[in-house]
Amino acid sequence: MSILVTGGAGYIGSHTVVELLNMGKDVVIVDNLSNSSILVLDRIKEITGKRPEFYQIDISNKELLRNVFEKEKIEAVIHFAGFKAVDESVKYPVMYYENNIMSTLSLIEIMTEYDVKKIVFSSSATVYGINNPSPLVEEMPTSATNPYGYTKVMLEQILKDVYVADSDWSIALLRYFNPIGAHESGMIGENPLGIPNNLMPFIAQVAIGKRQELSVFGNDYDTVDGTGVRDYIHVVDLAFGHIKALEKISESKKVHIYNLGSGVGTSVLELIKTFEVENKIQIPYKIVPRRAGDVAICFANADKALNELNWKTTKTIADMCRDTWNWQSKNPNGYRQS
Ligand code: NAD
Ligand code: UDP
């Protein structure tokens, strides 16, 4: 029996596939490569010695997805596939609703057809919206401020409704905080196309000389140094969170909701400083006005995942900075050759 990983060629998916293979699981990846590279498969093979089964399909296409379930024996699904850029979702809302919602509906339908009723879903801390104070706990009300966030709020609701209708389903909704870092080999990592929106990929591109300087979005927040505070989590810790969630949904059938974060907030300036010290590289930056829609502080209460999954983060901000730079310096153009 295999674990089907949608979006398994992407950033978080590829790291999770590595850990699944390391623990001896059989893995099938489905990914349309809309935001990833086929070369990831070679890198996964180099790290683990194993090459997962791979189907280059859009999971919204039920015929093609059915074909995968027909050929492979799937026991559970980890569902990463989707678009994830907030700004882009504001510009192209229909594209976001279509890709994120339709693909998940298609997946649920085909899973039901094949009686595969275990799913781990990539949700996000974005579902806490802008009104809940940190530390954020799973019971807080959810909301969104942009189409990307709404797709996560809606997909959580859709999956809860699927469970209400059929309690044979077992579902984990994992609310990631801010994943950064890379596999310690430097073989796989985050590979943003165009100008990065997120802080760490931007820092990495300044470090490698692709961007001149970082813009720090505001230094007048009510935080330790005035800059925004987030809960950064190493992508390998995050990958292990999925393994624990898979175990959980195999033990008990319900909708399990977990924050995957460290429980600790780090400011923009603290992250820059750690990157500079750890990698001995200067990151030139300038302070610019706040970015619309940003909250001052966002970090997790991570107790539930610790108590129920026996999972917590193990890696430090220094580890995240070192591993990001290791990946970026070994792969200045990501998976692209030039
Ligand atoms: P990513 O873009 O690197 O990976 C997503 C993968 O899904 C890509 O390889 C892409 O090609 C594939 N894909 C997209 N639409 C598809 C479709 N219709 N059919 C088949 N494949 C498709 O993103 P990531 O950072 O690895 O994020 C994975 C998931 O985690 C996403 O759902 C994202 O919303 C969620 N998430 C990410 C973050 C983050 O900061 N990276 C934070 C919270 C939640
Ligand atoms: N940020 C910044 N400059 C950038 C990108 C981000 O100062 O080029 C800040 C942003 O305002 C926030 C923090 O860094 O306080 C993390 O931003 P990111 O987009 O990575 O995550 P999110 O805000 O979505 O949690």
Side-chain angles (χ1 to χ4, degrees), residues 86 178 196-200 202 214-218 221 227-230 232 268 291 294-296:
V86 171
N178 290 59
N197 289 310
N198 297 113
L199 178 60
M200 187 53 126
F202 206 106
L214 172 74
S215 294
V216 173
F217 299 142
Y221 288 107
T227 63
V229 166
R230 296 291 183 274
Y232 297 97
V268 175
R291 181 171 67 178
D294 269 357
V295 291

Side-chain angles (χ1 to χ4, degrees), residues 57-74:
I57 61 162
D58 187 317
I59 60 166
S60 305
N61 186 324
K62 289 185 209 164
E63 250 340 284
L64 296 178
L65 190 57
R66 190 176 283 117
N67 180 45
V68 175
F69 276 78
E70 198 56 49
K71 282 201 183 137
E72 307 287 345
K73 289 212 169 337
I74 306 298

Side-chain angles (χ1 to χ4, degrees), residues 37-40 42-43 46 187 191 193 210 327 329-338:
S37 163
I38 190 78
L39 293 179
V40 170
D42 297 337
R43 302 293 180 88
E46 278 185 62
M187 303 286 297
N191 184 34
L193 297 171
K210 284 196 160 185
W327 151 255
S329 53
K330 284 181 176 160
N331 304 272
N333 298 305
Y335 295 108
R336 291 173 294 281
Q337 308 292 349
S338 59

Side-chain angles (χ1 to χ4, degrees), residues 108 112 117-119 155-173 249 252-257:
I108 294 168
T112 309
K117 294 183 175 175
K118 290 192 213 122
I119 185 167
L155 288 168
E156 285 202 356
Q157 187 61 47
I158 289 168
L159 287 163
K160 287 179 192 167
D161 291 342
V162 165
Y163 175 78
V164 170
D166 178 358
S167 57
D168 231 15
W169 278 81
S170 197
I171 297 169
L173 308 178
I249 59 171
S252 94
K253 290 181 183 172
K254 63 184 246 196
V255 180
H256 304 272
I257 305 180

Side-chain angles (χ1 to χ4, degrees), residues 128 136-138 173 175 177 257-261 300-302 305 311:
Y128 289 110
L136 297 160
V137 287
E138 287 83 350
L173 308 178
R175 296 177 178 165
F177 281 68
I257 305 180
Y258 297 109
N259 286 340
L260 295 185
N301 174 319
W311 174 91

Side-chain angles (χ1 to χ4, degrees), residues 19-233:
E19 300 312 331
L20 286 166
L21 292 171
N22 280 344
M23 61 184 285
K25 291 276 185 195
D26 291 325
V27 174
V28 176
I29 295 178
V30 286
D31 197 306
N32 63 1
L33 303 181
S34 56
N35 195 36
S36 49
S37 163
I38 190 78
L39 293 179
V40 170
L41 299 174
D42 297 337
R43 302 293 180 88
I44 291 174
K45 170 90 196 298
E46 278 185 62
I47 296 170
T48 64
K50 297 172 204 162
R51 180 177 280 273
E53 288 297 321
F54 175 68
Y55 295 83
Q56 185 176 347
I57 61 162
D58 187 317
I59 60 166
S60 305
N61 186 324
K62 289 185 209 164
E63 250 340 284
L64 296 178
L65 190 57
R66 190 176 283 117
N67 180 45
V68 175
F69 276 78
E70 198 56 49
K71 282 201 183 137
E72 307 287 345
K73 289 212 169 337
I74 306 298
E75 62 172 297
V77 175
I78 308 184
H79 178 35
F80 294 103
F83 294 153
K84 63 165 181 177
V86 171
D87 282 11
E88 193 182 50
S89 81
V90 174
K91 267 198 199 141
Y92 306 107
V94 175
M95 185 174 100
Y96 266 67
Y97 287 117
E98 180 163 18
N99 191 52
N100 292 5
I101 307 279
M102 298 306 282
S103 63
T104 307
L105 292 178
S106 154
L107 178 64
I108 294 168
E109 189 178 322
I110 304 300
M111 287 176 70
T112 309
E113 242 177 77
Y114 284 83
D115 203 29
V116 178
K117 294 183 175 175
K118 290 192 213 122
I119 185 167
V120 176
F121 172 64
S122 298
S123 188
S124 165
T126 196
V127 302
Y128 289 110
I130 51 174
N131 295 320
N132 291 307
S134 291
L136 297 160
V137 287
E138 287 83 350
E139 292 73 27
M140 285 173 167
T142 59
S143 64
T145 53
N146 55 72
Y148 168 70
Y150 276 113
T151 68
K152 293 299 181 192
V153 171
M154 287 178 192
L155 288 168
E156 285 202 356
Q157 187 61 47
I158 289 168
L159 287 163
K160 287 179 192 167
D161 291 342
V162 165
Y163 175 78
V164 170
D166 178 358
S167 57
D168 231 15
W169 278 81
S170 197
I171 297 169
L173 308 178
L174 302 183
R175 296 177 178 165
Y176 312 156
F177 281 68
N178 290 59
I180 59 172
H183 191 265
E184 65 173 7
S185 63
M187 303 286 297
I188 55 174
E190 192 168 8
N191 184 34
L193 297 171
I195 302 171
N197 289 310
N198 297 113
L199 178 60
M200 187 53 126
F202 206 106
I203 292 177
Q205 292 202 359
V206 172
I208 200 80
K210 284 196 160 185
R211 317 257 161 224
Q212 258 187 337
E213 64 180 355
L214 172 74
S215 294
V216 173
F217 299 142
N219 67 348
D220 56 353
Y221 288 107
D222 185 13
T223 62
V224 59
D225 54 23
T227 63
V229 166
R230 296 291 183 274
D231 185 340
Y232 297 97
I233 170 173

